[in-house]
């Protein structure tokens, strides 16, 4: 049964090279499926996806060591090697059910949440100002609601690489009429901003979620603005700021560095009075990352579940898609957006932030139908 105890990338190999200094422990669930039913299988975030194998990663001052193995073998190894508590904490965080913004908590077998993007800006990379005018932005939002968006993400400042900042007053003037109209139509709206005054104005106008690409570091008052509300908060990782973030981004290990940064931001939020169960995390695809960083983060996305929070992913129309393909323009990147989005869902991401709601909804329905074992006889049962 256990074939992962010898050689490089195995638990025995790990014993040989795991140094003796302090190490941070990560678990990356492997082979996630709703067809796994063994005594060893654990639910991801309460289910329906389960896993019975993982990659154990220990990172210390000298770098990271890793081994892939069955969960029971990892647990035994951690008990014997002084990592029992960290292992238990990480596995519990991965498995615990969590409230996902935009999802009905009572829903049985809920699909992943779709967050539709509304850029009320003249200069967004992806739609080039198509919805800068309030009426067009509102109509676009109403259309996305019809198509099945669960959340509408309204932003008044472009975060594309190289974008110039916008004053908070200008931003408020852009987003407020749109938020008011969409919430009046019954939409759940998130405000995409890094400015505290915009957060406050948007929440007062009916927005129910804060989406901050700076993880509440972009304004000295934003932690307080979030803490004084009870809105869910999306903390996104960004290296630097939009104007400079693509200048030679560098990481020791992109997925783990981003994970550590988000862990630090979660602790900062909790210390500021934002309850942990209000927080959603997002590795910030395209924000201060090369194509290789983005693809490695997406490949190893399941490691982020150890943060114990819902996971939001934004890949829609981003430039890494053109870089991996034929250099297509933003509006011609639908195929790659769907492929990357479904790959993220396969690793348990709970929310997709997208431009193309109808197409994403359709892709998701087919993906769920052909990957779900729940109603079939071929589920792997004990
Ligand atoms: C505002 N914005 C642009 N891209 C984004 C992404 O990937 N995630 C989140 N949360 N916000 C984003």
């Amino acid at each position: 049964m256990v074939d992962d105890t010898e050689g490089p990338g195995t638990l025995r190999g790990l014993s040989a090279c795991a140094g003796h200094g302090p190490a941070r422990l990560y678990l990356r669930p492997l082979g996630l499926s709703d067809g796994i039913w063994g005594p060893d299988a654990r639910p991801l975030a309460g289910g329906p996806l389960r896993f019975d194998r993982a990659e154990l990663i220990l990172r210390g001052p000298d770098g990271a060591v890793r081994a892939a193995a069955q969960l029971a073998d990892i647990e035994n190894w951690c008990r014997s090697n002084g990592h029992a508590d960290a292992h238990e904490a990480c596995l519990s965080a991965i498995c615990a059910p969590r409230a996902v913004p935009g999802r009905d908590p009572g829903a049985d077998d809920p699909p992943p949440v779709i967050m539709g993007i509304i850029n009320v800006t003249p200069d967004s990379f992806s739609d080039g100002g198509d919805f800068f005018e309030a009426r067009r932005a509102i109509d676009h939002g109403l259309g996305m609601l019809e198509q099945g968006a669960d959340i509408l993400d309204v932003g008044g400042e472009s975060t594309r690489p190289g974008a110039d900042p916008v004053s908070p007053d200008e931003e408020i003037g852009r987003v407020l009429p749109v938020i008011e109209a969409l919430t009046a139509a019954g939409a759940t709206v998130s405000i995409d901003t890094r400015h505290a005054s915009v957060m406050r104005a948007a929440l007062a106008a009916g927005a129910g979620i804060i989406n901050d690409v700076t993880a509440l570091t972009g304004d000295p008052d934003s932690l307080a603005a979030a803490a004084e509300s009870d809105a869910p908060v999306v903390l996104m990782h960004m290296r630097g700021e939009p104007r400079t973030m693509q200048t030679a981004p560098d990481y020791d290990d992109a997925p783990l560095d981003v994970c550590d940064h988000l862990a630090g931001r979660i602790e900062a939020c909790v210390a500021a009075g934002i309850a942990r169960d209000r927080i959603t995390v997002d590795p910030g695809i395209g924000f201060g990352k090369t194509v290789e960083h983005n693809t490695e983060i997406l490949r190893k996305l399941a490691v982020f579940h150890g943060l114990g929070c819902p996971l939001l992913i934004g890949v829609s129309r981003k430039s890494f898609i053109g870089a991996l393909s034929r250099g297509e323009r933003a509006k011609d990147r639908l195929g790659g957006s769907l492929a990357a989005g479904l790959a993220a869902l396969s690793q348990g991401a709970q929310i997709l932030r997208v431009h193309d709601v109808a197409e994403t909804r359709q892709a998701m329905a087919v993906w769920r139908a052909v990957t779900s074992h729940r109603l079939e006889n071929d589920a792997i049962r004990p």
Side-chain angles (χ1 to χ4, degrees):
M1 177 78 186
V2 181
D3 60 0
D4 273 323
T5 51
E6 292 188 9
T10 66
L11 290 173
R12 193 166 298 169
L14 198 76
S15 303
C17 51
H20 294 292
R24 186 171 171 145
L25 180 148
Y26 312 78
L27 287 171
R28 179 165 70 91
L30 298 175
L32 284 160
S33 163
D34 65 7
I36 298 179
W37 296 89
D40 227 13
R42 302 292 299 262
L44 178 84
L49 293 181
R50 292 172 175 263
F51 61 108
D52 57 11
R53 293 172 59 79
E55 182 184 42
L56 169 65
I57 308 164
L58 291 169
R59 187 152 83 136
D62 302 331
V65 289
R66 305 158 190 270
Q70 295 290 127
L71 290 182
D73 297 323
I74 290 178
E75 184 177 349
N76 288 337
W77 187 92
C78 287
R79 282 212 186 119
S80 311
N81 288 273
H83 297 289
D85 290 349
H87 169 267
E88 172 54 27
C90 188
L91 189 60
S92 302
I94 292 171
C95 298
R98 54 208 66 175
V100 178
R103 181 187 281 173
D104 174 1
D108 196 25
D109 186 22
V113 168
I114 296 183
M115 173 187 264
I117 300 168
I118 306 178
N119 293 315
V120 197
T121 57
D123 57 346
S124 280
F125 81 98
S126 50
D127 45 34
D130 288 353
F131 309 110
F132 186 39
E133 200 208 315
R135 190 62 253 168
R136 292 184 65 139
I138 293 164
D139 288 344
H140 183 52
L142 296 175
M144 287 199 287
L145 272 187
E146 288 246 308
Q147 294 169 352
D150 303 288
I151 301 172
L152 299 175
D153 191 40
V154 178
E157 180 185 44
S158 172
T159 51
R160 73 177 161 74
D164 284 325
V166 169
S167 81
D169 285 347
E170 169 80 23
E171 210 182 322
I172 290 171
R174 292 178 183 181
V175 297
L176 235 54
V178 180
I179 293 172
E180 281 165 356
L182 293 176
T183 53
T188 298
V189 170
S190 57
I191 175 65
D192 152 22
T193 187
R194 53 191 172 136
H195 296 122
S197 58
V198 182
M199 291 171 196
R200 288 194 176 96
L203 293 173
I209 301 167
I210 297 169
N211 174 28
D212 185 351
V213 298
T214 74
L216 300 178
T217 65
D219 180 327
D221 194 25
S222 57
L223 268 176
E228 75 201 21
S229 78
D230 58 6
V233 178
V234 180
L235 303 177
M236 198 200 78
H237 173 272
M238 170 165 59
R239 193 43 86 75
E241 52 156 328
R243 226 175 338 173
T244 56
M245 65 189 178
Q246 289 308 109
T247 316
D250 188 28
Y251 298 86
D252 288 338
D253 178 309
L256 300 187
D257 289 359
V258 171
C259 203
D260 288 355
H261 174 85
L262 289 171
R265 293 311 304 153
I266 292 170
E267 293 318 318
C269 286
V270 170
I274 301 168
R276 205 174 281 271
D277 63 6
R278 286 173 52 198
I279 298 173
T280 291
V281 292
D282 178 343
I285 297 298
F287 285 81
K289 291 154 188 107
T290 63
V291 174
E292 290 72 27
H293 296 143
N294 290 319
T295 47
E296 191 186 3
I297 289 169
L298 287 169
R299 223 174 13 251
K300 300 182 176 173
L301 201 58
V303 78
F304 289 90
H305 296 298
L307 294 169
C309 298
L311 184 56
L312 186 155
I313 297 296
V315 287
S316 189
R317 301 187 185 177
K318 290 201 172 161
S319 63
F320 79 96
I321 294 170
L324 290 172
S325 183
R326 297 174 139 195
E328 292 87 345
R329 298 174 314 145
K331 285 185 182 173
D332 295 327
R333 295 178 191 151
L334 174 60
S337 305
L338 296 175
L342 295 182
L345 298 185
S346 301
Q347 295 200 50
Q350 286 94 353
I351 308 175
L352 278 189
R353 183 178 182 277
V354 306
H355 297 86
D356 302 289
V357 171
E359 293 82 354
T360 303
R361 185 52 85 207
Q362 185 184 82
M364 210 186 260
V366 174
W367 166 80
R368 272 166 60 84
V370 299
T371 59
S372 176
H373 296 78
R374 267 160 279 172
L375 303 176
E376 293 185 5
N377 297 328
D378 63 352
I380 307 156
R381 295 185 187 278

